[in-house]
Amino acid sequence: MKLFSKNLLIALGLLIMAPLTANAATVHLDAKTNTSSNAVELNLKAGTYSISPFKDDTYTAWNAWGKVQGCSADGTGCSKGWVNNYSFTTPSGTTHIITSDTGRYETADLALLNALGATFTLLSDATVQFFINDSNYGDNIGGMSLNVSAVPIPAAAFLFAPALLGFMGLRRRAQKTVA
């Protein structure tokens, strides 16, 4: 009987923890084609998500001019160069433009080094759109690779509620004893 209850508790724990595993998706944004009217769409469940730019074989950063010029000796402050910004639109209709600064860099790797991630929360299941926000896409080269992953709820959150209920029960018992 004890073995049965132990296995039952393990199964119950796995059932509770299964939805907590972080789901991840990779989004590749081509700076020429993934415009606001041709965004990459992800259907996501309600929850909190993090976006992290990363380097892979597809994209590192993008260049809005197709060339690099006017850079300082350290590869920053270019008049034309590689940029690291990307945009996403949540169901509320709000467009979020994520950029580390208004910097333009001599190399795509330097732009990626200065790229920022983002976090957003969906209150219900929804489609989120990711795109490059530029006005003239014809001379763009490169793109951004983003990792979009669910932020897992800590397992401790599930232990907090029963503990709180237990303390409330102890308090009630103490109040009955005093009265």
Side-chain angles (χ1 to χ4, degrees):
M1 184 66 171
K2 193 172 192 171
L3 180 62
F4 175 74
S5 62
K6 182 179 178 182
N7 288 338
L8 182 63
L9 285 174
I10 291 172
L12 185 60
L14 290 174
L15 185 63
I16 290 171
M17 296 304 283
L20 300 179
T21 58
N23 297 321
T26 299
V27 175
H28 296 293
L29 300 176
D30 185 293
K32 264 190 195 217
T33 59
N34 294 125
T35 65
S36 58
S37 60
N38 187 31
V40 173
E41 295 184 342
L42 283 183
N43 295 318
L44 301 172
K45 301 244 180 242
T48 300
Y49 292 86
S50 67
I51 305 171
S52 304
F54 71 98
K55 181 178 183 172
D56 69 356
D57 293 336
T58 309
Y59 298 117
T60 304
W62 63 283
N63 188 315
W65 304 272
K67 61 184 172 182
V68 175
Q69 71 182 47
C71 301
S72 62
D74 64 357
T76 63
C78 305
S79 59
K80 295 181 180 177
W82 293 92
V83 294
N84 55 26
N85 60 356
Y86 56 93
S87 302
F88 65 96
T89 301
T90 54
S92 65
T94 305
T95 297
H96 307 275
I97 300 172
I98 306 301
T99 183
S100 62
D101 51 29
T102 56
R104 298 173 185 150
Y105 301 93
E106 188 171 17
T107 66
D109 286 338
L110 190 55
L112 180 65
L113 183 65
N114 289 283
L116 289 180
T119 303
F120 64 94
T121 300
L122 297 174
L123 299 178
S124 60
D125 296 359
T127 300
V128 178
Q129 298 179 321
F130 297 86
F131 57 95
I132 299 292
N133 196 12
D134 192 24
S135 58
N136 178 14
Y137 294 94
D139 55 354
N140 290 357
I141 58 174
M144 292 292 295
S145 290
L146 307 171
N147 182 34
V148 180
S149 59
V151 176
I153 299 170
F158 288 103
L159 298 175
F160 179 72
L164 187 60
L165 291 173
F167 284 127
M168 289 171 54
L170 288 173
R171 182 174 173 205
R172 180 178 283 171
R173 183 182 293 175
Q175 287 177 345
K176 283 182 181 178
T177 307
V178 171

